């Protein structure tokens, strides 16, 4: 029950804590929560700190008698903040219940070991799979050394992602459109190809939701895109992957890659260098298919309008080696979520 609460708290930090993991913590004395907290902002106090700081004055004397529940192993190193394991020991908390280990090399079992050496009773692996799933972006980034890849597209009932004309085909409804903007607020970066940028002139922000807009990434190998596109308005950081030049401007970064470089591999490498833990790939169909064909994707979110058929146009990408995860109705649309069977965290779970 208390670990479920840790997970609820941790999720509040979605979109605000990356590249750190989402973490929630609850302090319990005799079946009463006396403190709780979560990691709110990258660079800010960790969940354990906020949890202990939330304890009211009349309950401070209970801290050395309480049990701390935390969804991720407490850290042992100095990063943006001091080690949480030291904080736990300093506050003489006698028992800590941990959801899952932290694979980050500076932690990776060291937090649990340090607490136990200090005489703290540590229980490990409570709701472990849920805790692993919560931070699948972080774990993928650390273990596979690449960002977590989410493929997203909308399709007609007969499986088309676009019409055969130049006019943009509006497939999804207002509810799923807003949901997509929520997704943007939760991911570190968003990626489109040259043709999508030219045809749709997207802004790729999350204007229909709250929170941060993602870093925009666009593939423009030969720098064909005009400067008048919304992608180049410098309102948010934008990375242009090309074979022509390397250049830095205000909020605009040109990353030059070799002419023979594989596009997908280049995207993953640049994102890793930029510390971008996750990428929402929004199109087009060819770019999405290239991630699928190389097996370099983790999750696919497909919005289908069952009321729209067009009989001809641009076919939707074809998923390979996947597991169905979730299907739900959103107004008139259907959202289907799939997981790649090659997702690196699968072998760690």
């Amino acid at each position: 029950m208390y670990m479920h609460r840790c997970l609820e708290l941790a999720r509040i930090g979605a979109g605000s804590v990356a590249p750190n993991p989402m973490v929630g913590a609850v302090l319990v004395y005799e079946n009463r929560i006396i403190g709780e907290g979560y990691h709110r902002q990258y660079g800010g106090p960790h969940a354990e700190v906020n949890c202990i700081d939330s304890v009211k004055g009349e309950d401070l004397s209970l801290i050395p008698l309480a049990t701390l529940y935390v969804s991720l192993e407490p850290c042992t190193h100095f990063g943006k903040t001091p080690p949480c394991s030291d904080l736990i020991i300093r506050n003489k908390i006698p028992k800590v219940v941990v959801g899952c280990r932290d694979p980050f090399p500076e932690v990776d079992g060291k937090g649990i070991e340090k607490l136990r050496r200090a005489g703290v009773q540590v229980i490990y692996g409570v709701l472990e799979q849920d805790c692993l799933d919560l931070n699948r972006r972080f774990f993928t980034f650390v273990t596979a050394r690449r960002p977590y890849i989410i493929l997203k597209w909308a399709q007609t009932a007969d499986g088309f992602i676009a019409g055969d004309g130049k006019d943009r085909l509006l497939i999804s409804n207002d509810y799923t459109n807003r949901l997509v903007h929520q997704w943007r607020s939760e991911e570190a970066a968003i990626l489109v190809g040259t043709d999508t940028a030219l045809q749709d002139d997207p802004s790729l922000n999350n204007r229909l939701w709250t929170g941060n807009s993602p870093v925009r990434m666009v593939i423009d190998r030969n720098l064909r895109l005009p400067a008048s596109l919304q992608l180049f308005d410098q309102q948010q950081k934008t990375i242009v992957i090309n074979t022509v030049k390397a250049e830095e401007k205000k909020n605009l970064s040109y990353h030059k890659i070799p002419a023979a470089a594989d596009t997908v591999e280049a995207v993953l490498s640049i994102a890793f260098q930029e510390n971008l833990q996750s990428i929402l790939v929004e199109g087009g169909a060819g770019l999405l298919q290239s991630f699928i064909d190389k097996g370099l994707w983790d999750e696919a979110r497909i919005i289908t309008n069952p009321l729209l058929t067009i009989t001809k146009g641009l076919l939707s990408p074809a998923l390979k080696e996947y597991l169905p995860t979730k299907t739900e109705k959103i107004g008139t649309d259907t959202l289907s979520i799939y997981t790649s069977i090659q997702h690196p965290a699968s072998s760690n779970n």
Side-chain angles (χ1 to χ4, degrees):
M1 180 178 67
Y2 296 125
M3 191 59 71
H4 273 300
R5 179 57 180 161
C6 288
L7 291 168
E8 287 177 351
L9 290 165
R11 289 188 188 97
I12 303 173
S16 300
V17 302
N20 283 352
M22 294 174 280
V23 185
V26 174
L27 194 62
V28 180
Y29 174 75
E30 293 188 349
N31 294 319
R32 180 170 67 90
I33 294 177
I34 62 172
E36 60 181 29
Y38 63 94
H39 188 27
R40 299 175 183 172
Q41 189 73 39
Y42 175 67
H46 288 186
E48 297 93 328
V49 177
N50 289 328
C51 176
I52 292 172
D53 285 349
S54 75
V55 178
K56 295 179 180 179
E58 61 267 27
D59 289 333
L60 290 175
S61 63
L62 302 178
I63 293 176
L65 305 172
T67 298
L68 177 68
Y69 294 79
V70 60
S71 57
L72 185 68
E73 177 183 7
C75 61
T76 56
H77 65 293
F78 282 88
K80 296 283 185 181
T81 59
C84 292
S85 55
D86 289 351
L87 176 71
I88 294 167
I89 295 168
R90 190 165 61 249
N91 279 273
K92 300 180 180 179
I93 296 173
K95 183 178 178 181
V96 176
V97 179
V98 176
C100 66
R101 277 176 58 160
D102 186 340
F104 188 66
E106 297 292 334
V107 187
D108 198 14
K110 299 181 182 70
I112 293 172
E113 181 184 350
K114 186 172 187 177
L115 291 173
R116 285 175 171 164
R117 284 203 312 265
V120 178
Q121 180 187 0
V122 179
I123 296 175
Y124 156 72
V126 176
L127 292 184
E128 182 177 18
Q129 189 59 56
D130 296 270
C131 293
L132 289 167
D133 289 343
L134 173 71
N135 280 307
R136 55 194 182 275
R137 295 161 181 80
F138 174 74
F139 294 137
T140 299
F141 195 76
V142 171
T143 59
R145 297 182 64 81
R146 67 160 177 82
Y148 184 87
I149 302 299
I150 301 171
L151 310 179
K152 170 263 167 183
W153 69 84
Q155 63 184 18
T156 63
D158 50 350
F160 292 95
I161 198 171
D164 61 353
K166 291 186 176 181
D167 292 337
R168 186 176 182 183
L169 179 65
L170 300 177
I171 298 175
S172 52
N173 64 38
D174 290 342
Y175 299 103
T176 47
N177 286 342
R178 189 172 293 274
L179 178 61
V180 168
H181 283 242
Q182 179 186 345
W183 294 344
R184 291 178 180 181
S185 75
E186 295 170 348
E187 308 309 331
I190 186 168
L191 172 70
V192 294
T194 308
D195 289 343
T196 298
L198 273 174
Q199 294 168 12
D200 297 346
D201 190 16
S203 56
L204 300 185
N205 58 25
N206 63 328
R207 60 196 176 276
L208 300 181
W209 201 257
T210 59
N212 299 323
S213 288
V215 172
R216 298 182 291 204
M217 302 182 76
V218 58
I219 297 166
D220 185 15
R221 294 182 70 97
N222 301 313
L223 295 184
R224 294 194 292 121
L225 297 177
S228 58
L229 293 181
Q230 294 184 90
L231 284 172
F232 304 126
D233 62 11
Q234 301 189 39
Q235 294 302 303
Q236 66 202 74
K237 183 174 180 180
T238 302
I239 295 172
V240 183
I241 301 168
N242 71 97
T243 62
V244 179
K245 66 177 181 179
E247 184 177 295
E248 294 285 337
K249 297 181 179 180
K250 176 192 172 184
N251 266 349
L252 193 54
S253 176
Y254 288 84
H255 282 254
K256 184 179 179 181
I257 62 173
D262 178 85
T263 300
V264 171
E265 298 285 357
V267 167
L268 300 186
S269 176
I270 291 168
F272 189 80
Q273 294 169 25
E274 293 285 334
N275 212 17
L276 299 171
Q277 256 183 30
S278 60
I279 302 176
L280 181 64
V281 184
E282 286 219 356
L287 179 61
L288 288 160
Q289 193 65 56
S290 65
F291 277 89
I292 295 169
D293 291 344
K294 294 184 73 66
L296 289 171
W297 65 281
D298 302 288
E299 190 177 324
R301 301 174 182 177
I302 305 172
I303 298 166
T304 303
N305 182 342
L307 305 179
L308 177 63
T309 57
I310 59 174
T311 67
K312 61 179 180 178
L314 181 61
L315 284 170
S316 304
L319 282 181
K320 303 174 183 177
E321 299 183 296
Y322 63 86
L323 295 171
T325 303
K326 179 181 180 182
T327 300
E328 65 176 304
K329 292 285 291 183
I330 302 177
T332 54
D333 291 343
T334 300
L335 169 63
S336 301
I337 300 178
Y338 303 90
T339 303
S340 169
I341 61 173
Q342 298 185 41
H343 172 54
S346 298
S347 59
N348 299 328
N349 294 352

